[in-house]
């Protein structure tokens, strides 16, 4: 079974600075998708960014980018110019033959 | 705009009750999912459905069942609620290729 590991239960960043959230996964599949979801206190799960495993280029969405290392099975999320509204739980997720989520990282943004 | 609606935001039930959690999506998606979310454990898949009247067990199906009589509606049923089923329940839907999942707002269920 595929597993998704987020080794940082909590992270903190100063407003306007950059933070990186880590995610590793274990799989024997070659074709899959990776996601980062954001869950603010409102509880809605919001898709932040998506990466197809067959693409070598790292996905980017405005201030959010990923560092996808397929051989290392690593998928970290970088948030640049952090804003107060970025404070939330962040979940890394894997979708191959099934769907798996990491345990989450709680991000605090300090003003 | 995409919409996944869960019938209740908060729900309190008693041990032994039969509990129904309803989820409706308006995107004509083939796939629908039920997850539970617990601190430190992330999201765990309970059941999913890839078509009307079709269902597949996820990681933790014990104590739960599901119903998908119509494409837009996916119900989660706790046959006989127990205190260890107190949790946040999230419904999601996705198109056939599963590239993206849209989530509902969640139902915080307490079993007393």
């Amino acid at each position: 079974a595929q597993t998704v590991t987020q080794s940082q239960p909590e992270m903190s960043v100063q407003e306007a600075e950059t933070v990186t959230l880590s995610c590793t996964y274990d799989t024997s599949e070659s074709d899959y998708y990776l996601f980062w979801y954001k869950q603010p206190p409102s509880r809605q799960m919001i898709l932040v960014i998506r990466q197809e495993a067959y693409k070598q280029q790292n996905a980017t969405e405005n201030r959010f980018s990923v560092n996808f290392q397929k051989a290392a099975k690593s998928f970290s999320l970088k948030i640049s110019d952090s804003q107060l509204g970025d404070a939330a739980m962040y979940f890394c997720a894997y979708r191959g033959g099934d769907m798996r989520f990491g345990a989450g990282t709680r991000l605090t943004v300090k003003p | 705009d995409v919409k996944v609606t869960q019938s209740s935001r908060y729900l309190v039930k008693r041990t032994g009750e039969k509990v129904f959690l309803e989820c409706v999506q308006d995107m004509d998606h083939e796939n629908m999912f039920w997850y539970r979310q617990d601190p430190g454990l992330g999201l765990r898949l309970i059941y999913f459905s890839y078509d009307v009247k079709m269902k597949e067990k996820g990681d933790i199906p014990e104590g739960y069942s599901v119903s998908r009589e119509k494409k837009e509606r996916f119900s989660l049923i706790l046959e006989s609620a127990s205190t260890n089923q107190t949790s946040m329940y999230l419904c999601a839907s996705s198109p056939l290729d599963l590239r993206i999942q849209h989530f509902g707002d969640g139902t915080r269920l307490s079993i007393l």
Side-chain angles (χ1 to χ4, degrees):
Chain A
Q2 284 66 243
T3 58
V4 179
T5 303
Q6 292 178 248
S7 59
Q8 306 152 316
E10 296 184 354
M11 289 285 283
S12 179
V13 63
Q14 204 70 35
E15 193 176 8
E17 294 189 348
T18 296
V19 64
T20 299
L21 308 184
S22 301
C23 175
T24 59
Y25 58 95
D26 181 32
T27 184
S28 57
E29 296 174 316
S30 58
D31 188 22
Y32 50 88
Y33 293 92
L34 296 163
F35 307 85
W36 277 99
Y37 283 94
K38 170 185 177 182
Q39 187 183 42
S42 66
R43 288 193 268 158
Q44 174 65 268
M45 293 283 277
I46 303 165
L47 179 68
V48 175
I49 201 164
R50 178 182 67 225
Q51 174 82 42
E52 290 90 341
Y54 65 85
K55 290 186 177 179
Q56 292 187 338
Q57 186 174 4
N58 289 326
T60 300
E61 289 287 344
N62 300 315
R63 297 183 295 107
F64 299 88
S65 61
V66 297
N67 183 5
F68 174 47
Q69 302 289 331
K70 191 173 184 179
K73 297 178 183 174
S74 171
F75 183 61
S76 61
L77 175 69
K78 186 171 83 171
I79 306 174
S80 304
D81 186 25
S82 297
Q83 300 175 359
L84 296 177
D86 294 334
M89 282 289 288
Y90 286 82
F91 292 95
C92 178
Y94 168 101
R95 203 285 290 175
D98 62 357
M99 186 87 191
R100 298 272 171 167
F101 286 79
T105 297
R106 183 173 298 283
L107 179 65
T108 303
V109 181
K110 298 178 180 177
Chain B
D1 198 13
V2 168
K3 190 71 175 176
V4 177
T5 303
Q6 294 183 228
S7 54
S8 303
R9 199 156 170 84
Y10 299 93
L11 204 55
V12 180
K13 296 290 182 181
R14 295 205 173 275
T15 305
E17 281 192 71
K18 190 169 185 176
V19 181
F20 293 86
L21 302 184
E22 305 287 347
C23 176
V24 177
Q25 50 100 358
D26 64 358
M27 296 157 286
D28 201 36
H29 283 166
E30 288 77 12
N31 300 296
M32 295 188 76
F33 306 81
W34 274 108
Y35 295 89
R36 64 177 283 176
Q37 182 180 5
D38 301 287
L41 297 176
L43 270 70
R44 293 179 292 167
L45 182 64
I46 304 171
Y47 268 97
F48 70 97
S49 168
Y50 53 88
D51 201 352
V52 176
K53 296 190 186 295
M54 305 302 288
K55 60 185 179 184
E56 291 285 341
K57 293 180 180 179
D59 299 325
I60 50 166
E62 296 78 19
Y64 303 94
S65 63
V66 290
S67 172
R68 185 130 182 240
E69 296 297 318
K70 294 184 178 181
K71 191 175 185 180
E72 67 270 19
R73 186 180 297 270
F74 192 36
S75 304
L76 179 69
I77 304 155
L78 285 66
E79 298 291 344
S80 178
S82 62
T83 54
N84 63 12
Q85 292 178 309
T86 291
S87 185
M88 171 72 75
Y89 290 86
L90 286 163
C91 174
S93 75
S94 77
L96 196 61
D97 63 7
L98 290 171
R99 281 188 302 146
I100 186 171
Q101 291 197 16
H102 300 277
F103 284 83
D105 288 341
T107 296
R108 186 170 295 283
L109 175 65
S110 297
I111 307 297
L112 304 178

